């Protein structure tokens, strides 16, 4: 009985493995970082079809074959539609979002992607950027990755090249850091006014360093 069960499982597993490899090749994927949410759904359904068929003797090999072929055709047609239609591609794959543009950060993009300042700082450090004022533009790609376009400097800045004091984070003033640099809130609001910012809620992040002075990352609501 066990031998018969093994003989029925092995062909299904081998065939399922081959079909998934073929689909990955047809989708043009080279590594896992290129997989989209749609791709994950494809393979979850593949896994479900195989799982339901492995230990059920009533499900014949040709049933599995038919199910995987039909699902493969659905994927192929879906991908074909997406490749031909920009509207469909935007709806199902997403589009590139501009998170930071010339010193301003998109409130809409922040809210949609549920991002906070700590995450943005971490992403910048992963790209070897340790000062947000170095960032000219930051993009969120359709696959969820981040692309940073820095300003061009003659001498690249490195971590700990100078001390940066965060002064505003999440609409909260860091009074402790203001004391460290011997400044007060009146001075801070004057700095904001110089950049035509008059409300604290319009500032996503602000910091100060002796090396380059004040940096303000303003929110825009488009």
């Amino acid at each position: 009985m066990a031998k018969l069960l093994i003989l029925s499982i092995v062909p299904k597993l081998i065939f399922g493995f081959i079909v998934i490899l073929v689909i990955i090749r047809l989708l043009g994927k080279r590594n896992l970082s290129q997989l989209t949410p749609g791709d994950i759904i494809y393979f979850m359904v593949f896994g479900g079809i195989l799982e339901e068929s492995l230990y059920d003797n009533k499900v014949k090999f040709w049933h599995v074959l038919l199910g995987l072929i039909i699902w493969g055709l659905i994927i192929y047609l879906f991908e074909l539609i997406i490749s031909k239609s920009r509207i469909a591609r935007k709806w199902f794959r997403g589009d590139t979002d501009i998170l930071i543009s010339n010193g301003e950060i998109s409130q809409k993009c922040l809210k949609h992607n549920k991002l906070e300042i700590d995450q943005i700082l971490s992403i910048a450090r992963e790209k070897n950027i340790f000062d947000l004022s170095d960032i000219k533009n930051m993009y969120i790609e359709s696959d969820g990755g981040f692309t940073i376009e820095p300003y061009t400097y003659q001498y690249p800045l490195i971590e700990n090249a100078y001390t940066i004091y965060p002064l505003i984070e999440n609409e909260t003033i860091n009074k402790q850091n203001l004391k460290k640099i011997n400044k007060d809130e009146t001075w801070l609001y004057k700095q904001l006014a110089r950049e035509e910012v008059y409300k604290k809620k319009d500032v996503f992040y602000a910091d100060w360093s002796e090396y380059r002075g004040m940096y303000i990352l303003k929110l825009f609501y488009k």
Side-chain angles (χ1 to χ4, degrees):
M1 186 70 178
K3 187 176 181 180
L4 290 173
L5 183 61
I6 292 172
L7 289 174
S8 67
I9 289 175
V10 171
K12 295 175 183 177
L13 282 174
I14 293 173
F15 182 74
F17 176 73
I18 292 171
V19 170
I20 290 175
L21 282 180
V22 170
I23 293 297
I24 290 175
R25 293 296 294 174
L26 288 175
L27 292 175
K29 307 300 176 183
R30 295 293 180 268
N31 53 59
L32 289 176
S33 65
Q34 294 178 313
L35 295 180
T36 67
D39 298 331
I40 295 171
I41 293 172
Y42 300 157
F43 300 130
M44 285 176 64
V45 174
F46 270 126
I49 294 172
L50 286 173
E51 182 183 3
E52 292 297 323
S53 67
L54 286 179
Y55 302 104
D56 191 344
N57 291 328
K58 294 180 180 179
V59 179
K60 304 301 181 183
F61 179 81
W62 70 270
H63 292 152
V64 181
L65 173 63
L66 182 62
L68 292 177
I69 288 175
I70 291 174
W71 184 239
L73 285 173
I74 292 172
I75 293 172
Y76 178 77
L77 291 173
F78 185 70
E79 291 292 323
L80 184 63
I81 292 171
I82 288 177
S83 68
K84 299 296 183 182
S85 171
R86 191 182 187 285
I87 295 174
R89 190 161 56 249
K90 182 177 180 179
W91 273 97
F92 293 104
R93 286 286 172 80
D95 207 354
T96 299
D97 288 330
I98 301 176
L99 179 62
I100 296 176
S101 176
N102 293 315
E104 294 186 337
I105 192 164
S106 168
Q107 191 270 348
K108 180 181 178 181
C109 193
L110 281 171
K111 185 176 181 181
H112 178 72
N113 293 280
K114 297 178 175 59
L115 290 171
E116 297 181 355
I117 183 61
D118 291 339
Q119 294 168 290
I120 294 172
L121 289 169
S122 176
I123 292 162
R125 287 193 295 271
E126 289 176 0
K127 306 288 187 180
N128 292 320
I129 293 177
F130 303 96
D131 185 345
L132 291 187
S133 68
D134 293 351
I135 298 174
K136 182 179 181 181
N137 298 309
M138 179 185 282
Y139 306 91
I140 303 179
E141 306 295 348
S142 58
D143 63 358
F146 289 81
T147 300
I148 294 177
E149 179 189 356
Y151 288 102
T152 302
Y153 291 101
Q154 184 178 0
Y155 302 104
L157 302 177
I158 60 173
E159 186 177 13
N160 298 324
Y162 51 85
T163 303
I164 296 173
Y165 298 91
L167 301 180
I168 300 178
E169 296 176 282
N170 302 318
E171 299 183 18
T172 302
I173 295 175
N174 191 320
K175 297 179 180 179
Q176 186 176 0
N177 279 345
L178 277 175
K179 289 181 180 179
K180 287 181 180 178
I181 62 174
N182 297 316
K183 306 293 183 182
D184 56 22
E185 290 189 32
T186 302
W187 171 86
L188 178 59
Y189 281 112
K190 285 182 179 179
Q191 299 299 312
L192 297 178
R194 288 180 180 178
E195 300 296 326
E196 299 182 352
V197 179
Y198 303 103
K199 296 179 181 178
K200 186 172 61 178
K201 69 180 183 67
D202 291 334
V203 179
F204 178 70
Y205 173 81
D207 64 34
W208 183 89
S209 77
E210 188 174 357
Y211 176 82
R212 51 110 174 105
M214 193 78 179
Y215 169 68
I216 301 168
L217 186 55
K218 296 181 284 186
L219 282 165
F220 68 90
Y221 299 91
K222 295 180 182 179

